[in-house]
Amino acid sequence: MTETPKTTAVASKNPHPATQWGKWILEHYRFILIVVCLLLFLIFLVKNSAPTVVWLFGWKPEIPLILIALSCFGIGLVCGWAGSAIYRKRKIDKDQFII
């Protein structure tokens, strides 16, 4: 009678490097997404550095497109931050009064 040797699956203490990178990417996907978006935004800004005429109530200054894009980005950040702060404040106030 022949006996089959017993084999046990031994988990490797050092997983494959690709698995480690995959875990790191899944854990830091927001950071990676933000970095990629910022890089694309910076490329867009560098490519659009030509002066642009802006009409402001009859005044027509020539402003680099970089400044226009950065100010719009900054205004958007402030509006988003303010909106989320108001939403969180209302949610906290609403949750405190529920009995």
Side-chain angles (χ1 to χ4, degrees):
M1 188 180 248
T2 60
E3 290 186 27
T4 58
K6 294 183 180 181
T7 58
T8 58
V10 178
S12 174
K13 291 183 180 180
N14 296 323
H16 194 273
T19 313
Q20 291 174 344
W21 279 107
K23 285 181 183 179
W24 187 87
I25 289 172
L26 288 175
E27 291 172 358
H28 298 90
Y29 72 94
R30 285 185 181 171
F31 172 75
I32 294 169
L33 187 63
I34 290 171
V35 167
V36 168
C37 288
L38 284 175
L39 285 174
L40 290 173
F41 185 69
L42 288 174
I43 291 170
F44 170 76
L45 289 180
V46 171
K47 290 292 186 182
N48 293 303
S49 61
T52 306
V53 177
V54 179
W55 186 84
L56 295 170
F57 305 108
W59 180 44
K60 296 180 182 177
E62 287 190 11
I63 302 173
L65 195 55
I66 291 174
L67 293 178
I68 296 170
L70 278 175
S71 38
C72 289
F73 182 71
I75 291 169
L77 281 176
V78 169
C79 290
W81 173 79
S84 66
I86 291 170
Y87 174 76
R88 277 189 249 125
K89 175 74 173 143
R90 286 186 179 176
K91 187 175 180 183
I92 289 170
D93 291 344
K94 190 184 215 182
D95 290 344
Q96 287 176 354
F97 292 111
I98 296 176
I99 296 175

